[in-house]
């Protein structure tokens, strides 16, 4: 989708994403929905790789996934790997309406 030449929307105050951050320790697989927080800061310290399943494809949906644990988190869509987030790393995943893609992986 291309943008128009209309004036952009301006936010006159700092942006606050109340409820938009989830910080938790995980012991098993995680499944996100479109109601899940946009920012996921997860600690995987349970002794092995854990999977994080993304919700169905939806144009414009994004999630930041951070891993504070000692073991990898594998971000998946429909069983396919989108990104692997290592210890103390993060990934931004986004959907274009056709697929989930890793936009950024640190």
């Amino acid at each position: 989708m291309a943008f128009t030449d209309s004036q952009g929307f301006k936010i006159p105050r700092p942006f606050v994403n109340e409820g938009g951050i989830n910080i938790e320790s995980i012991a098993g697989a995680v499944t996100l929905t479109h109601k899940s927080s946009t920012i996921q800061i997860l600690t995987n310290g349970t002794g092995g790789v854990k999977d994080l399943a993304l919700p169905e494809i939806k144009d414009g949906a994004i999630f930041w996934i951070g891993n504070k644990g000692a073991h990898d988190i594998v971000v998946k869509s429909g069983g396919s790997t989108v990104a692997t987030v290592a210890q103390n790393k993060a990934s931004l995943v986004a959907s274009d309406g056709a697929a989930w893609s890793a936009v950024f992986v640190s």
Side-chain angles (χ1 to χ4, degrees):
M1 174 178 106
F3 291 105
T4 67
D5 60 355
S6 298
Q7 182 174 347
F9 179 75
K10 294 181 182 177
I11 301 173
R13 294 174 196 82
F15 179 76
V16 176
N17 188 6
E18 188 174 334
I21 300 173
N22 175 49
I23 301 172
E24 71 175 291
S25 293
I26 59 173
V30 175
T31 300
L32 299 180
T33 71
H34 289 294
K35 292 183 179 183
S36 298
S37 299
T38 304
I39 300 170
Q40 298 285 323
I41 301 172
L42 306 174
T43 300
N44 175 14
T46 60
V49 174
K50 300 294 180 253
D51 289 345
L52 181 144
L54 295 167
E56 70 276 3
I57 295 165
K58 184 176 185 180
D59 191 17
I62 64 167
F63 288 100
W64 279 99
I65 296 121
N67 181 3
K68 292 293 186 183
H71 305 282
D72 292 353
I73 296 172
V74 179
V75 181
K76 294 186 173 185
S77 174
S80 298
T81 299
V82 175
T84 299
V85 185
Q87 177 183 14
N88 295 319
K89 300 295 181 179
S91 180
L92 170 64
V93 295
S95 172
D96 63 1
W100 282 99
S101 299
V103 177
F104 168 84
V105 178
S106 70

Coordinates of all heavy atoms in Angstrom, one line a residue:
M1 N 0.8 -1.2 0.0 CA 0.0 0.0 0.0 C 0.9 1.2 0.0 O 1.8 1.3 0.8 CB -0.9 0.0 1.2 CG -1.7 1.2 1.4 SD -2.8 1.2 2.8 CE -1.9 2.3 3.9
A2 N 0.6 2.1 -0.9 CA 1.4 3.4 -0.9 C 0.6 4.5 -0.1 O -0.6 4.4 0.1 CB 1.5 3.9 -2.4
F3 N 1.4 5.4 0.4 CA 0.8 6.5 1.2 C 0.4 7.6 0.2 O 0.9 7.7 -0.9 CB 1.9 7.1 2.2 CG 2.2 6.1 3.3 CD1 3.4 5.4 3.3 CD2 1.3 5.9 4.3 CE1 3.7 4.6 4.4 CE2 1.5 5.0 5.4 CZ 2.8 4.4 5.4
T4 N -0.6 8.4 0.7 CA -1.0 9.5 -0.1 C -0.1 10.7 0.2 O 0.7 10.7 1.1 CB -2.5 9.9 0.2 OG1 -2.6 10.3 1.5 CG2 -3.4 8.6 0.0
D5 N -0.4 11.8 -0.5 CA 0.4 13.0 -0.2 C -0.3 13.9 0.9 O 0.1 15.0 1.1 CB 0.6 13.8 -1.5 CG -0.7 14.3 -2.2 OD1 -1.7 13.9 -1.7 OD2 -0.5 15.0 -3.1
S6 N -1.3 13.3 1.5 CA -2.0 14.1 2.6 C -1.1 14.3 3.8 O -0.1 13.5 4.0 CB -3.2 13.2 3.1 OG -4.2 13.0 2.1
Q7 N -1.3 15.3 4.5 CA -0.5 15.6 5.7 C -0.5 14.5 6.7 O -1.6 13.9 6.9 CB -1.0 16.9 6.4 CG -0.1 17.3 7.5 CD -0.5 18.6 8.1 OE1 -1.3 19.4 7.5 NE2 0.0 18.9 9.3
G8 N 0.6 14.1 7.2 CA 0.7 13.0 8.2 C 0.0 13.3 9.5 O -0.2 14.5 9.9
F9 N -0.4 12.3 10.2 CA -1.0 12.4 11.5 C 0.1 12.7 12.5 O 1.2 12.1 12.5 CB -1.6 11.0 11.9 CG -2.3 11.0 13.2 CD1 -3.5 11.7 13.4 CD2 -1.7 10.4 14.3 CE1 -4.1 11.7 14.7 CE2 -2.3 10.4 15.5 CZ -3.5 11.0 15.7
K10 N -0.1 13.7 13.3 CA 0.9 14.1 14.3 C 0.4 13.7 15.7 O -0.8 14.0 16.0 CB 1.1 15.6 14.3 CG 1.8 16.0 13.0 CD 2.1 17.5 12.9 CE 2.7 17.8 11.6 NZ 2.9 19.2 11.4
I11 N 1.3 13.2 16.6 CA 0.9 12.9 17.9 C 1.6 14.0 18.8 O 2.8 14.0 18.9 CB 1.4 11.5 18.3 CG1 0.8 10.4 17.4 CG2 1.1 11.2 19.8 CD1 1.3 9.1 17.6
P12 N 0.8 14.9 19.4 CA 1.4 16.0 20.1 C 1.9 15.7 21.5 O 2.4 16.5 22.2 CB 0.2 17.0 20.3 CG -1.0 16.1 20.3 CD -0.7 14.9 19.4
R13 N 1.8 14.4 22.0 CA 2.3 14.0 23.3 C 3.1 12.7 23.1 O 3.0 12.0 22.1 CB 1.1 13.8 24.2 CG 0.4 15.0 24.5 CD -0.9 14.6 25.4 NE -1.9 15.7 25.4 CZ -2.8 15.9 24.4 NH1 -2.8 15.2 23.4 NH2 -3.6 16.9 24.5
P14 N 3.9 12.4 24.1 CA 4.6 11.1 24.0 C 3.6 9.9 23.9 O 2.6 9.9 24.5 CB 5.4 11.0 25.4 CG 5.5 12.4 25.8 CD 4.2 13.1 25.3
F15 N 4.0 8.9 23.1 CA 3.1 7.8 22.9 C 3.3 6.8 24.0 O 4.4 6.5 24.4 CB 3.5 7.1 21.6 CG 2.7 5.9 21.3 CD1 1.4 6.0 20.8 CD2 3.3 4.6 21.5 CE1 0.7 4.8 20.6 CE2 2.5 3.5 21.2 CZ 1.2 3.6 20.8
V16 N 2.2 6.3 24.6 CA 2.2 5.4 25.7 C 1.4 4.2 25.2 O 0.2 4.3 24.9 CB 1.6 5.9 27.0 CG1 1.6 4.9 28.1 CG2 2.4 7.1 27.5
N17 N 2.0 3.0 25.3 CA 1.3 1.8 24.8 C 0.9 1.0 26.1 O 1.5 -0.1 26.4 CB 2.3 1.0 23.9 CG 1.6 -0.2 23.3 OD1 0.4 -0.4 23.4 ND2 2.4 -1.0 22.6
E18 N -0.1 1.5 26.8 CA -0.5 0.9 28.0 C -1.0 -0.5 27.8 O -1.8 -0.8 26.9 CB -1.6 1.7 28.7 CG -2.0 1.2 30.1 CD -3.0 2.1 30.7 OE1 -3.1 3.3 30.4 OE2 -3.8 1.6 31.6
G19 N -0.5 -1.5 28.5 CA -0.8 -2.9 28.4 C -0.2 -3.5 27.2 O -0.4 -4.7 26.8
G20 N 0.7 -2.8 26.5 CA 1.3 -3.3 25.3 C 2.6 -4.1 25.5 O 3.3 -4.5 24.5
I21 N 3.0 -4.3 26.8 CA 4.3 -5.0 27.1 C 3.9 -6.2 28.0 O 3.3 -6.0 29.0 CB 5.3 -4.1 27.7 CG1 5.6 -2.9 26.8 CG2 6.6 -4.9 28.1 CD1 6.5 -1.9 27.4
N22 N 4.4 -7.3 27.6 CA 4.2 -8.6 28.4 C 5.6 -9.1 28.8 O 6.4 -9.3 27.9 CB 3.5 -9.6 27.6 CG 3.4 -10.9 28.4 OD1 3.0 -10.9 29.6 ND2 3.8 -12.0 27.8
I23 N 5.8 -9.2 30.1 CA 7.1 -9.7 30.6 C 6.8 -10.9 31.4 O 6.0 -10.9 32.4 CB 7.8 -8.7 31.5 CG1 8.1 -7.4 30.7 CG2 9.1 -9.2 32.1 CD1 8.6 -6.2 31.6
E24 N 7.3 -12.1 31.0 CA 7.0 -13.3 31.7 C 8.1 -14.4 31.5 O 8.9 -14.3 30.5 CB 5.7 -13.9 31.3 CG 5.6 -14.5 29.9 CD 4.3 -15.1 29.6 OE1 4.0 -16.2 30.2 OE2 3.5 -14.6 28.8
S25 N 8.2 -15.3 32.4 CA 9.0 -16.5 32.3 C 8.2 -17.6 31.6 O 7.0 -17.7 31.9 CB 9.5 -17.0 33.6 OG 10.4 -16.0 34.2
I26 N 8.8 -18.3 30.7 CA 8.0 -19.4 30.0 C 8.7 -20.7 30.3 O 9.9 -20.8 30.4 CB 8.0 -19.1 28.5 CG1 9.3 -19.1 27.8 CG2 7.2 -17.9 28.2 CD1 9.3 -19.0 26.3
A27 N 7.8 -21.7 30.4 CA 8.3 -23.1 30.7 C 7.9 -24.0 29.6 O 8.3 -25.2 29.6 CB 7.7 -23.6 32.0
G28 N 7.1 -23.5 28.6 CA 6.7 -24.3 27.5 C 6.4 -23.5 26.3 O 6.7 -22.3 26.2
A29 N 5.7 -24.0 25.3 CA 5.4 -23.3 24.1 C 4.4 -22.2 24.4 O 3.6 -22.2 25.3 CB 4.8 -24.2 23.1
V30 N 4.5 -21.1 23.6 CA 3.7 -19.9 23.8 C 2.9 -19.7 22.5 O 3.5 -19.8 21.4 CB 4.6 -18.6 24.1 CG1 3.7 -17.4 24.1 CG2 5.4 -18.8 25.4
T31 N 1.7 -19.4 22.6 CA 0.9 -19.0 21.4 C 0.3 -17.6 21.6 O -0.4 -17.3 22.6 CB -0.3 -20.0 21.3 OG1 0.2 -21.4 21.1 CG2 -1.1 -19.7 20.0
L32 N 0.6 -16.7 20.7 CA 0.1 -15.4 20.7 C -1.2 -15.3 19.9 O -1.4 -16.1 19.0 CB 1.2 -14.4 20.1 CG 2.5 -14.4 20.7 CD1 3.4 -13.4 20.0 CD2 2.4 -14.0 22.2
T33 N -2.0 -14.3 20.3 CA -3.2 -13.9 19.5 C -3.0 -12.4 19.1 O -2.1 -11.8 19.6 CB -4.4 -14.1 20.3 OG1 -4.5 -13.1 21.4 CG2 -4.5 -15.5 20.9
H34 N -4.0 -11.9 18.4 CA -3.9 -10.5 18.0 C -4.3 -9.6 19.2 O -4.2 -8.4 19.1 CB -4.8 -10.2 16.8 CG -4.2 -10.8 15.5 ND1 -3.0 -10.3 15.0 CD2 -4.6 -11.8 14.7 CE1 -2.7 -11.0 13.9 NE2 -3.7 -11.9 13.7
K35 N -4.7 -10.2 20.3 CA -5.0 -9.5 21.5 C -3.8 -9.5 22.5 O -3.8 -8.8 23.5 CB -6.2 -10.0 22.3 CG -7.5 -9.8 21.5 CD -8.7 -10.3 22.3 CE -10.0 -10.1 21.5 NZ -11.2 -10.5 22.3
S36 N -2.7 -10.2 22.1 CA -1.5 -10.3 22.9 C -0.8 -8.9 22.8 O -0.9 -8.2 21.8 CB -0.6 -11.4 22.4 OG -1.2 -12.7 22.5
S37 N 0.0 -8.7 23.8 CA 0.8 -7.4 23.9 C 1.8 -7.4 22.7 O 2.3 -8.5 22.3 CB 1.6 -7.4 25.1 OG 0.8 -7.3 26.3
T38 N 2.0 -6.2 22.1 CA 2.9 -6.1 20.9 C 4.3 -6.4 21.3 O 5.1 -6.9 20.5 CB 2.8 -4.6 20.4 OG1 1.4 -4.3 20.1 CG2 3.6 -4.5 19.2
I39 N 4.7 -6.1 22.5 CA 6.1 -6.4 22.9 C 6.1 -7.5 23.9 O 5.4 -7.5 24.9 CB 6.7 -5.1 23.6 CG1 6.7 -3.9 22.6 CG2 8.1 -5.4 24.1 CD1 7.1 -2.6 23.2
Q40 N 6.8 -8.6 23.6 CA 6.9 -9.8 24.4 C 8.3 -9.9 24.9 O 9.3 -10.1 24.1 CB 6.5 -11.0 23.6 CG 5.1 -11.0 23.1 CD 4.1 -11.3 24.2 OE1 4.3 -12.1 25.1 NE2 3.0 -10.6 24.1
I41 N 8.5 -9.7 26.2 CA 9.9 -9.9 26.8 C 9.8 -11.2 27.6 O 9.2 -11.3 28.7 CB 10.3 -8.7 27.7 CG1 10.3 -7.4 26.8 CG2 11.7 -9.0 28.3 CD1 10.5 -6.2 27.6
L42 N 10.4 -12.3 27.0 CA 10.2 -13.6 27.6 C 11.6 -14.1 28.2 O 12.6 -13.8 27.6 CB 9.7 -14.5 26.5 CG 8.4 -14.1 25.8 CD1 8.1 -15.0 24.6 CD2 7.3 -14.0 26.8
T43 N 11.5 -14.9 29.2 CA 12.6 -15.5 29.8 C 12.5 -17.0 29.7 O 11.6 -17.6 30.2 CB 12.8 -15.2 31.3 OG1 12.9 -13.7 31.4 CG2 14.0 -15.8 31.9
N44 N 13.3 -17.6 28.8 CA 13.3 -19.0 28.6 C 14.5 -19.6 29.3 O 15.6 -19.6 28.8 CB 13.3 -19.4 27.1 CG 13.5 -20.8 26.8 OD1 13.3 -21.7 27.7 ND2 13.8 -21.2 25.6
G45 N 14.3 -20.0 30.5 CA 15.4 -20.6 31.3 C 15.2 -22.0 31.7 O 15.8 -22.4 32.7
T46 N 14.3 -22.7 31.0 CA 13.9 -24.1 31.5 C 14.7 -25.2 30.9 O 14.2 -26.4 31.0 CB 12.4 -24.2 31.2 OG1 12.2 -24.1 29.8 CG2 11.6 -23.2 32.0
G47 N 15.8 -25.0 30.2 CA 16.6 -26.1 29.7 C 16.3 -26.6 28.3 O 16.3 -27.8 28.1
G48 N 16.0 -25.7 27.4 CA 15.9 -26.1 26.0 C 15.1 -25.1 25.2 O 14.6 -24.1 25.8
V49 N 15.1 -25.3 23.9 CA 14.5 -24.4 23.0 C 13.0 -24.4 23.2 O 12.4 -25.5 23.4 CB 14.8 -24.8 21.5 CG1 14.0 -23.9 20.5 CG2 16.3 -24.6 21.3
K50 N 12.3 -23.3 23.1 CA 10.9 -23.2 23.3 C 10.3 -22.5 22.0 O 10.9 -21.6 21.4 CB 10.4 -22.3 24.5 CG 10.9 -22.9 25.8 CD 10.3 -24.3 26.1 CE 10.7 -24.8 27.4 NZ 11.6 -25.9 27.3
D51 N 9.1 -22.9 21.6 CA 8.5 -22.4 20.4 C 7.5 -21.3 20.8 O 6.8 -21.4 21.9 CB 7.7 -23.5 19.6 CG 8.6 -24.5 18.9 OD1 9.8 -24.2 18.8 OD2 8.1 -25.5 18.5
L52 N 7.4 -20.3 20.0 CA 6.4 -19.2 20.1 C 5.6 -19.2 18.8 O 6.2 -19.0 17.7 CB 7.1 -17.9 20.3 CG 6.1 -16.7 20.5 CD1 6.7 -15.7 21.6 CD2 5.9 -16.0 19.2
A53 N 4.3 -19.5 18.9 CA 3.5 -19.5 17.7 C 2.8 -18.2 17.5 O 2.2 -17.6 18.4 CB 2.4 -20.6 17.8
L54 N 2.9 -17.6 16.3 CA 2.3 -16.4 15.9 C 0.8 -16.6 15.6 O 0.4 -17.7 15.1 CB 3.0 -15.7 14.7 CG 4.4 -15.3 15.0 CD1 5.1 -15.0 13.7 CD2 4.5 -14.1 15.9
P55 N 0.0 -15.6 15.7 CA -1.4 -15.8 15.3 C -1.6 -15.8 13.8 O -0.6 -15.7 13.1 CB -2.1 -14.5 15.9 CG -1.0 -13.5 16.0 CD 0.2 -14.3 16.3
E56 N -2.8 -15.9 13.3 CA -3.0 -16.0 11.9 C -2.5 -14.7 11.2 O -2.4 -13.7 11.9 CB -4.5 -16.2 11.6 CG -5.4 -15.0 11.9 CD -5.9 -14.9 13.4 OE1 -5.5 -15.7 14.2 OE2 -6.6 -14.0 13.7
I57 N -2.2 -14.8 10.0 CA -1.7 -13.7 9.2 C -2.7 -12.6 9.2 O -3.9 -12.8 8.9 CB -1.3 -14.2 7.8 CG1 -0.2 -15.2 7.9 CG2 -1.0 -13.0 6.9 CD1 0.0 -16.0 6.6
K58 N -2.3 -11.4 9.4 CA -3.1 -10.2 9.4 C -2.3 -9.0 9.0 O -1.3 -8.7 9.6 CB -3.7 -10.0 10.8 CG -4.7 -8.8 10.9 CD -5.3 -8.8 12.3 CE -6.4 -7.7 12.4 NZ -7.0 -7.7 13.7
D59 N -2.7 -8.4 7.9 CA -2.0 -7.3 7.3 C -1.7 -6.2 8.3 O -2.6 -5.6 9.0 CB -2.8 -6.7 6.1 CG -1.9 -5.7 5.3 OD1 -0.7 -5.7 5.4 OD2 -2.5 -4.9 4.5
G60 N -0.4 -5.9 8.5 CA 0.0 -4.8 9.4 C 0.3 -5.2 10.8 O 0.8 -4.4 11.6
A61 N 0.1 -6.5 11.2 CA 0.3 -6.9 12.6 C 1.8 -7.1 12.8 O 2.6 -7.5 11.9 CB -0.4 -8.3 12.8
I62 N 2.3 -6.7 14.0 CA 3.7 -6.8 14.4 C 3.8 -7.2 15.8 O 2.9 -7.0 16.6 CB 4.4 -5.4 14.2 CG1 3.9 -4.4 15.2 CG2 4.4 -4.9 12.8 CD1 4.7 -3.1 15.3
F63 N 4.9 -7.9 16.1 CA 5.3 -8.3 17.4 C 6.8 -8.1 17.6 O 7.6 -8.5 16.7 CB 5.0 -9.7 17.7 CG 3.5 -10.0 17.9 CD1 2.8 -10.5 16.9 CD2 2.9 -9.7 19.1 CE1 1.4 -10.8 17.0 CE2 1.5 -9.9 19.2 CZ 0.8 -10.5 18.2
W64 N 7.3 -7.5 18.7 CA 8.6 -7.5 19.1 C 8.8 -8.7 20.1 O 8.0 -8.8 21.0 CB 9.0 -6.2 19.8 CG 9.3 -5.1 18.9 CD1 8.5 -4.1 18.6 CD2 10.5 -4.8 18.3 NE1 9.1 -3.2 17.8 CE2 10.4 -3.6 17.5 CE3 11.8 -5.5 18.2 CZ2 11.4 -3.1 16.8 CZ3 12.8 -4.9 17.5 CH2 12.6 -3.7 16.8
I65 N 9.8 -9.5 19.9 CA 10.0 -10.6 20.8 C 11.4 -10.5 21.3 O 12.4 -10.6 20.6 CB 9.8 -12.0 20.1 CG1 8.3 -12.1 19.7 CG2 10.1 -13.2 21.0 CD1 8.1 -12.3 18.3
G66 N 11.6 -10.4 22.7 CA 12.9 -10.3 23.3 C 13.0 -11.6 24.1 O 12.1 -12.1 24.7
N67 N 14.3 -12.1 24.2 CA 14.6 -13.3 25.0 C 15.6 -13.0 26.0 O 16.8 -12.7 25.7 CB 15.1 -14.4 24.0 CG 15.4 -15.7 24.8 OD1 15.2 -15.8 25.9 ND2 16.0 -16.6 24.0
K68 N 15.2 -13.0 27.3 CA 16.1 -12.8 28.4 C 16.6 -14.1 29.0 O 17.3 -14.0 30.0 CB 15.3 -12.0 29.5 CG 15.0 -10.6 29.1 CD 16.3 -9.8 28.9 CE 16.0 -8.3 28.6 NZ 17.2 -7.6 28.4
G69 N 16.2 -15.2 28.5 CA 16.6 -16.5 29.1 C 17.9 -17.0 28.4 O 18.4 -16.5 27.5
A70 N 18.3 -18.2 28.9 CA 19.5 -18.8 28.5 C 19.3 -19.7 27.3 O 20.3 -20.2 26.7 CB 20.1 -19.7 29.7
H71 N 18.1 -19.9 26.8 CA 17.8 -20.8 25.7 C 17.0 -20.1 24.6 O 16.2 -19.2 24.9 CB 17.1 -22.1 26.2 CG 17.8 -22.8 27.3 ND1 18.9 -23.6 27.1 CD2 17.6 -22.7 28.7 CE1 19.4 -24.0 28.3 NE2 18.6 -23.5 29.2
D72 N 17.2 -20.6 23.4 CA 16.5 -19.9 22.2 C 15.0 -20.0 22.3 O 14.5 -20.9 22.9 CB 17.0 -20.6 20.9 CG 18.5 -20.3 20.6 OD1 19.1 -19.5 21.3 OD2 18.9 -20.9 19.6
I73 N 14.4 -19.1 21.6 CA 13.0 -19.1 21.4 C 12.8 -19.1 19.8 O 13.3 -18.2 19.2 CB 12.3 -17.8 22.0 CG1 12.4 -17.9 23.5 CG2 10.8 -17.8 21.5 CD1 11.9 -16.6 24.2
V74 N 12.1 -20.1 19.3 CA 11.9 -20.2 17.9 C 10.5 -19.6 17.6 O 9.5 -20.2 18.1 CB 12.0 -21.6 17.4 CG1 11.8 -21.7 15.9 CG2 13.4 -22.1 17.7
V75 N 10.4 -18.6 16.8 CA 9.2 -17.9 16.4 C 8.6 -18.6 15.2 O 9.3 -18.7 14.2 CB 9.4 -16.4 16.1 CG1 8.1 -15.8 15.8 CG2 10.0 -15.8 17.4
K76 N 7.4 -19.1 15.2 CA 6.8 -19.9 14.1 C 5.5 -19.4 13.7 O 4.7 -18.8 14.4 CB 6.7 -21.4 14.5 CG 8.0 -22.1 14.8 CD 7.8 -23.5 15.1 CE 9.2 -24.2 15.2 NZ 9.0 -25.7 15.3
S77 N 5.2 -19.7 12.4 CA 3.9 -19.4 11.8 C 3.5 -20.6 11.0 O 4.2 -21.0 10.1 CB 4.0 -18.2 10.9 OG 2.8 -18.0 10.2
G78 N 2.4 -21.2 11.5 CA 1.9 -22.4 10.8 C 3.0 -23.6 10.8 O 3.0 -24.3 9.8
G79 N 3.8 -23.6 11.8 CA 4.8 -24.7 11.8 C 6.1 -24.3 11.2 O 7.1 -25.0 11.4
S80 N 6.2 -23.2 10.4 CA 7.4 -22.8 9.7 C 8.1 -21.8 10.6 O 7.5 -20.9 11.2 CB 7.1 -22.2 8.4 OG 6.5 -23.2 7.5
T81 N 9.4 -21.9 10.7 CA 10.2 -20.9 11.4 C 10.3 -19.6 10.7 O 10.7 -19.5 9.6 CB 11.7 -21.5 11.7 OG1 11.5 -22.7 12.4 CG2 12.5 -20.5 12.5
V82 N 10.0 -18.5 11.5 CA 10.1 -17.2 11.0 C 11.4 -16.5 11.5 O 12.1 -15.8 10.8 CB 8.9 -16.3 11.5 CG1 9.0 -14.9 11.1 CG2 7.6 -16.9 10.9
A83 N 11.7 -16.8 12.8 CA 13.0 -16.3 13.4 C 13.4 -17.1 14.6 O 12.5 -17.8 15.2 CB 12.7 -14.8 13.8
T84 N 14.6 -17.1 14.9 CA 15.1 -17.7 16.1 C 15.7 -16.6 17.0 O 16.6 -15.9 16.5 CB 16.2 -18.8 15.8 OG1 15.5 -19.8 15.0 CG2 16.7 -19.4 17.1
V85 N 15.2 -16.4 18.2 CA 15.7 -15.4 19.1 C 16.6 -16.0 20.1 O 16.2 -16.8 21.0 CB 14.5 -14.6 19.7 CG1 15.0 -13.4 20.5 CG2 13.5 -14.2 18.7
A86 N 17.9 -15.7 20.1 CA 18.9 -16.2 21.0 C 18.8 -15.4 22.4 O 18.2 -14.4 22.5 CB 20.3 -16.1 20.4
Q87 N 19.6 -15.9 23.3 CA 19.7 -15.2 24.6 C 20.1 -13.8 24.5 O 21.0 -13.4 23.8 CB 20.8 -15.9 25.5 CG 21.0 -15.3 26.8 CD 22.1 -16.0 27.6 OE1 22.9 -16.8 27.1 NE2 22.1 -15.7 28.9
N88 N 19.4 -12.9 25.2 CA 19.6 -11.4 25.2 C 19.5 -10.8 23.8 O 20.2 -9.8 23.6 CB 20.9 -11.1 25.9 CG 20.9 -11.5 27.4 OD1 19.9 -11.3 28.0 ND2 22.0 -12.1 27.8
K89 N 18.7 -11.4 22.9 CA 18.5 -10.8 21.6 C 17.0 -10.6 21.4 O 16.2 -10.9 22.3 CB 19.0 -11.8 20.5 CG 20.5 -12.2 20.6 CD 21.3 -10.9 20.4 CE 22.8 -11.3 20.4 NZ 23.7 -10.2 20.2
A90 N 16.7 -9.9 20.3 CA 15.3 -9.6 20.0 C 15.0 -9.7 18.5 O 15.9 -9.7 17.7 CB 15.0 -8.2 20.5
S91 N 13.7 -9.8 18.2 CA 13.3 -9.9 16.8 C 12.0 -9.1 16.6 O 11.2 -9.1 17.5 CB 13.1 -11.3 16.3 OG 12.7 -11.4 15.0
L92 N 11.9 -8.4 15.5 CA 10.6 -7.8 15.1 C 10.1 -8.6 14.0 O 10.8 -8.9 13.0 CB 10.9 -6.3 14.6 CG 9.7 -5.7 14.0 CD1 8.5 -5.5 14.9 CD2 10.1 -4.3 13.4
V93 N 8.9 -9.1 14.1 CA 8.2 -9.9 13.1 C 6.9 -9.1 12.7 O 6.3 -8.5 13.5 CB 7.8 -11.3 13.5 CG1 9.1 -12.1 13.8 CG2 6.9 -11.3 14.7
A94 N 6.7 -9.1 11.4 CA 5.5 -8.4 10.8 C 4.8 -9.2 9.8 O 5.4 -10.1 9.1 CB 6.0 -7.1 10.2
S95 N 3.5 -9.0 9.6 CA 2.7 -9.6 8.6 C 2.3 -8.6 7.6 O 1.9 -7.5 7.9 CB 1.5 -10.2 9.3 OG 0.6 -10.7 8.3
D96 N 2.4 -9.0 6.3 CA 2.0 -8.2 5.2 C 0.7 -8.6 4.6 O 0.3 -8.2 3.6 CB 3.1 -8.2 4.1 CG 3.3 -9.6 3.5 OD1 2.6 -10.5 3.9 OD2 4.1 -9.7 2.6
G97 N 0.0 -9.5 5.3 CA -1.3 -10.0 4.8 C -1.2 -11.3 4.1 O -2.1 -12.0 3.8
A98 N 0.1 -11.7 3.7 CA 0.3 -12.9 3.0 C 1.2 -13.9 3.8 O 1.1 -15.1 3.6 CB 1.0 -12.6 1.6
A99 N 2.1 -13.3 4.7 CA 3.0 -14.1 5.4 C 3.5 -13.3 6.6 O 3.5 -12.1 6.6 CB 4.1 -14.7 4.6
W100 N 4.1 -14.0 7.6 CA 4.8 -13.4 8.7 C 6.3 -13.4 8.2 O 6.8 -14.4 7.6 CB 4.7 -14.2 10.0 CG 3.5 -14.0 10.7 CD1 2.4 -14.8 10.7 CD2 3.2 -12.9 11.6 NE1 1.4 -14.3 11.5 CE2 1.9 -13.1 12.1 CE3 3.8 -11.7 12.0 CZ2 1.2 -12.2 12.9 CZ3 3.2 -10.8 12.8 CH2 1.9 -11.1 13.3
S101 N 7.0 -12.3 8.5 CA 8.4 -12.2 8.1 C 9.2 -11.6 9.3 O 8.7 -10.8 10.0 CB 8.6 -11.3 6.9 OG 7.9 -11.8 5.8
A102 N 10.5 -12.0 9.4 CA 11.4 -11.4 10.4 C 11.9 -10.1 9.7 O 12.6 -10.2 8.7 CB 12.5 -12.3 10.7
V103 N 11.6 -9.0 10.3 CA 12.0 -7.7 9.7 C 13.4 -7.4 10.3 O 14.3 -6.8 9.7 CB 11.0 -6.6 10.1 CG1 11.5 -5.2 9.6 CG2 9.7 -6.9 9.5
F104 N 13.6 -7.8 11.6 CA 14.8 -7.5 12.3 C 15.1 -8.6 13.3 O 14.2 -9.1 13.9 CB 14.6 -6.2 13.1 CG 15.7 -5.9 14.1 CD1 16.9 -5.3 13.7 CD2 15.6 -6.2 15.4 CE1 17.9 -5.0 14.6 CE2 16.6 -6.0 16.3 CZ 17.7 -5.4 15.9
V105 N 16.3 -9.1 13.3 CA 16.8 -10.1 14.3 C 18.1 -9.6 14.8 O 19.0 -9.4 14.0 CB 16.9 -11.5 13.7 CG1 17.4 -12.5 14.7 CG2 15.6 -11.9 13.1
S106 N 18.3 -9.4 16.1 CA 19.6 -8.9 16.6 C 20.4 -10.1 17.0 O 20.0 -11.2 17.1 CB 19.4 -8.0 17.8 OG 18.9 -8.7 19.0

